Amino acid sequence: MHRYLITGASSYPGKNLTTYLLDQGLDVHVLARPETKPERLAGKLKPNQIHAINGQTENIAEVIASIDPDVVFHLASIYRREASPADVQPLVDANILFGVQLCEALSQSGKQIRFINTGTFAQYYESKTPRALSLYAALKQAFDDILAYYRDAHGFLT
């Protein structure tokens, strides 16, 4: 049986995906920041399925190794329609840094990982090719490019 890992499980889509997978009887685990309130997560999760991370790469790698997922749904992000200077660091941390930390930790497993990433329509503003409407969309597109590296270098299935 596959083991599923979800990031962004406290978001509306994350909560619904978690509930759906749990209802299918699948082995589901979620990553959560320490400040994530348990009531924001799907109510069917057991404590051993919720894994706190502190934002440090080594910690994330340890947690990922203990979960040993086969399939990852990466939904975690921070959205700002218009970014102010104060938004830049949180946007980059959530939409680039965390994803890279996650991919690097997953690449250490040595197995083929199925990695499902969420993007945004704003990556393709009035275009069939990437044309970011916002900094958020540009960061989502940049992470797609980073994910392509992990697909090619580490065999991720995306």
Side-chain angles (χ1 to χ4, degrees), residues 83-99:
S84 70
D87 293 324
V88 172
Q89 177 96 30
L91 280 164
V92 171
D93 287 352
N95 297 306
I96 298 288
L97 178 60
F98 175 60

Side-chain angles (χ1 to χ4, degrees), residues 117-140:
N117 184 49
T118 56
T120 173
F121 76 94
Q123 288 171 248
Y124 296 88
Y125 180 67
E126 297 181 349
S127 176
K128 291 182 181 181
T129 58
R131 182 171 176 238
L133 177 62
S134 63
L135 176 59
Y136 167 74
L139 292 169
K140 293 298 273 184

Side-chain angles (χ1 to χ4, degrees), residues 14-121:
K15 194 172 187 176
N16 284 293
L17 175 62
T18 302
T19 299
Y20 175 80
L21 294 175
L22 288 168
D23 286 348
Q24 303 306 306
L26 300 173
D27 186 8
V28 179
H29 296 260
V30 302
L31 295 184
R33 293 171 292 175
E35 64 271 14
T36 301
K37 294 178 174 49
E39 61 269 14
R40 298 247 352 199
L41 299 169
K44 298 178 181 185
L45 283 167
K46 297 177 181 147
N48 67 338
Q49 294 173 295
I50 302 169
H51 305 271
I53 55 171
N54 66 14
Q56 299 299 312
T57 304
E58 296 80 9
N59 168 256
I60 294 168
E62 289 171 7
V63 171
I64 294 297
S66 73
I67 299 169
D68 192 28
D70 302 292
V71 180
V72 175
F73 291 93
H74 182 46
L75 308 176
S77 70
I78 289 180
Y79 169 77
R80 298 288 186 273
R81 183 176 177 152
E82 294 180 25
S84 70
D87 293 324
V88 172
Q89 177 96 30
L91 280 164
V92 171
D93 287 352
N95 297 306
I96 298 288
L97 178 60
F98 175 60
V100 172
Q101 290 171 316
L102 178 64
C103 287
E104 196 56 35
L106 290 164
S107 73
Q108 302 304 306
S109 73
K111 66 182 187 181
Q112 204 166 44
I113 301 292
R114 296 186 191 289
F115 195 102
I116 295 92
N117 184 49
T118 56
T120 173
F121 76 94

